[in-house]
Amino acid sequence: MKLINRKTSTKKTISSVFLACSLALSFNFIAPVPYVYAAQYSPNFKGTEITEFINIVGKNLKKTMIVDPNVRGKINVRSYDLLTEEQYYQFFLNVLEVYGFAAVEMPNNVVKIVRNKKAKTSSIPVVGDNYDSVGDEMITRVIEVKNVTVRELVPLLRQLVDQAGNGNVTNYDPANVIMVTGTASVVNRIVKIIEKVDRAGDQDVQIIQLKYASAGEMVRIVEAMNKTNPTAKGATPTFLIPKIVADERTNSVIVSGERLARERVARLVERLDSEMESNGNTRVYYLKYAKAEEMVKVLEGVSASIEAETSQAGSKSTSRSKKRNISIEAHENTNSVVITAQPDMQRSLEAVIRQLDIRRAQVLVEAIIVEVFEGDGVNLGVQWYSEKGSFTQFNNGPAPISQIAGAAVAAEGEEGNEVTTIDANGNPVVTKNPDTRGDYSLLAQVLGTVNGMMFGIVDNDWGAIVQAVSTDTNSNVLSTPSVTTLDNEEAFFIVGQEVPILTGSTASSNNANPFQTVDRQEIGIKLKVTPQVNEGTGVQLTIEQEVSSVSGATGVDITINKREIKTVVMADDGDTVILGGLIDEDVQESQQKVPLLGDIPVLGHLFKSTSSTVRKRNLMVFLRPTIIRDGELMQQLSREKYNYIRDVEKAKRRQGIELLDDDKLPILPEWNDDLTLPPSYKEYEQEKLGNSPMPIDAENVEPPVVDGQN
């Protein structure tokens, strides 16, 4: 290795001395010459370890070199020119880059020597637009692109950078910037390419105000003309195809693109934007979602408002507006609107139709009504009686003893007797009365109220009735009504029956023709809902939820249990919200006893009647709305519900039914089955004669032979 360090002076003698001294230098020795102003280097390395080369450069430039253990090898390099310190450092970077290494500058005059592929992940300095170095130092630069899309530009730039080595090109779409990492020379080259491409993609915007034609229709025509296949041979380049947008509010066409493309579109638009021969025109608008009758009412109000604004604009507008004849009619059979108006009015009404005739969202409302009821009751009582007229009676049991005794006497009847009378001749006449049967209806009515066990004990003229009953009631009711409706449309769902309710009765003066008035009331599960879909995923629901049932009969009419909720709630799409609920616990204890005797321990139960009941009721009502904005989601939900009820039918068929064939149980066909057509007559005949060993072909049947003649 040979490295010559030379310092220059203004005097020739000093130069001569320096030249003589430099020839006497050893292989790796740098001899300074006093009285110099700048240092120069002439590196010469042959078969030198790269680590030694790095150490010598660091010592000469007074830099701390940190070498990666993977940096190994020998170098051969020589410079025939004298290099300044800056050139010497660039020479050092060039050598590292050639041999696959890179220098990463750190603070405090520290330089890290690593392999190229590791350099791009190190703490490389990020430089700005004013950085003008063209050497091989590692840098990162962020480049802002103004006129083209970085997503399309980056794949081209990556082909110019060693991605596997120390280079890297990536993009950030939201800011439309490109981040480049590599040597300064490569980064500067990439920047120049981006600047050239960015200028070539420069596009301007032109706004063309239309006088007679519709902006939306004009854009449709121009786009149809510019529609080409970019992969076809000879197709127009993408950057030469202008972008065209219609501004319905100002009836303008906005054109963006290259100058020649914009000028071509502008000429076409000016030729098409011509006044019609007639002052008005007629157009038919076929509505897709809205109703024609409702749309006509809106359009008539809009046209009246536009006419009023035009009449107030000035005398010229007033004279013109008087000549306008606007006709808006609805055709129900085709659900279309026929409009006859001038072009400007036609455009305004067309914009209203386009914004109103949209697919409205639908809402699937699923309600969950859960009611859990538990009831426990115990009744124990003893009632005494004596034939001499004394008894104990308690009314908190099923049947008081007085009612039982009266019903028992009525059920005994009377025995027949003989009555002797004297007729007119003084002869005795004996009349025999038959036995009279007792009336058991009253006894059956009294005993019909008895639950559990009741028995009697009779001893001489004393008796007792013991009643004991224990009740345990558990119920778990789950109802899940659901209904689908359009946005802002009321939906009503009911599952139940109509029960007659007595509302009044009328009798005549002599009670000869009395009659009663009866009304029928809907009893069951009712759901009435009106959804309003807000911006985003929110749904406002106006809900009326009712669950009613017949509890039993009273002395006047029936008793109806009713649970009803009326509320307005806000819910997100697919979320389950609670509408309301009730948690009720009822504990009642009734005790009737004979004073003093009923307080005796144990024996006191013979002189009292005790009734205890405990009831617990938990009622909750939940709701879940699902916004349906397209047919795909509607199909998915319908398929889920359809397959669910079909699985229930299949499970029922697997369980079977007694005394009947299981195949007779109905089952839904599979979802989206092809339409099944009835069999043809020939197929019907074949199926009917399928059990015959020789099917009959009506077309090939020959007439029978009779007496050898056909």
Side-chain angles (χ1 to χ4, degrees), residues 422-427 429:
I422 304 298
D423 60 5
N425 298 325
N427 297 322
V429 179

Side-chain angles (χ1 to χ4, degrees), residues 334-566:
T334 58
N335 194 38
S336 58
V337 177
V338 183
I339 301 177
T340 301
Q342 291 184 350
D344 56 344
M345 179 65 72
Q346 193 80 255
R347 290 192 297 268
S348 300
L349 298 181
E350 180 184 359
V352 174
I353 293 175
R354 185 167 50 253
Q355 296 181 37
L356 294 181
D357 187 27
I358 60 176
R359 182 188 180 102
R360 296 167 60 186
Q362 301 181 84
V363 180
L364 170 63
V365 181
E366 298 174 288
I368 303 175
I369 307 166
V370 184
E371 181 176 1
V372 180
F373 176 80
E374 296 180 1
D376 296 327
V378 178
N379 193 328
L380 176 62
V382 181
Q383 301 179 74
W384 296 88
Y385 73 94
S386 174
E387 293 183 355
K388 295 182 180 180
S390 60
F391 64 91
T392 60
Q393 176 174 287
F394 306 111
N395 295 324
N396 61 350
I401 193 172
S402 60
Q403 295 182 6
I404 297 175
V409 172
E412 290 180 355
E414 296 181 359
E415 296 182 357
N417 56 7
E418 295 181 354
V419 179
T420 304
T421 58
I422 304 298
D423 60 5
N425 298 325
N427 297 322
V429 179
V430 179
T431 303
K432 187 175 182 180
N433 296 323
D435 295 340
T436 303
R437 300 183 60 183
D439 185 7
Y440 290 91
S441 60
L442 182 59
L443 182 61
Q445 181 179 357
V446 173
L447 295 181
T449 61
V450 176
N451 294 324
M453 180 187 68
M454 185 179 73
F455 63 91
I457 301 174
V458 179
D459 186 8
N460 295 328
D461 57 350
W462 284 91
I465 296 177
V466 180
Q467 299 175 357
V469 60
S470 175
T471 60
D472 186 6
T473 304
N474 292 315
S475 65
N476 187 352
V477 181
L478 174 63
S479 303
T480 57
S482 60
V483 64
T484 303
T485 182
L486 283 173
D487 182 22
N488 285 318
E489 293 290 342
E490 181 182 288
F492 181 70
F493 176 86
I494 180 173
V495 176
Q497 56 185 351
E498 291 187 348
V499 179
I501 305 295
L502 182 64
T503 58
S505 61
T506 303
S508 59
S509 58
N510 56 358
N511 201 22
N513 188 22
F515 66 91
Q516 295 178 336
T517 58
V518 177
D519 189 13
R520 293 187 176 273
Q521 183 175 343
E522 295 176 344
I523 302 298
I525 299 175
K526 300 179 184 179
L527 176 62
K528 183 185 293 185
V529 60
T530 303
Q532 178 182 342
V533 180
N534 299 332
E535 189 70 22
T537 60
V539 183
Q540 180 177 320
L541 299 165
T542 303
I543 304 165
E544 294 184 18
Q545 172 71 53
E546 178 183 325
V547 178
S548 55
S549 60
V550 178
S551 176
T554 62
V556 179
D557 208 340
I558 62 175
T559 302
I560 297 176
N561 296 328
K562 186 175 182 181
R563 298 160 183 83
E564 183 177 6
I565 293 178
K566 293 183 180 180

Side-chain angles (χ1 to χ4, degrees), residues 226-237:
N226 292 331
K227 188 176 181 180
T228 59
N229 186 8
T231 60
K233 185 177 181 180
T236 305

Side-chain angles (χ1 to χ4, degrees), residues 319-335:
S319 61
R320 184 180 177 183
S321 63
K322 291 180 180 179
K323 299 179 183 179
R324 292 191 176 188
N325 293 322
I326 302 174
S327 174
I328 305 175
E329 299 293 338
H331 190 259
E332 298 182 5
N333 295 336
T334 58
N335 194 38

Side-chain angles (χ1 to χ4, degrees), residues 380-382 591 597-598 600-610:
L380 176 62
V382 181
Q591 188 179 81
L597 297 179
I600 300 175
V602 182
L603 295 179
H605 288 286
L606 299 176
F607 303 98
K608 65 182 177 180
S609 176
T610 304

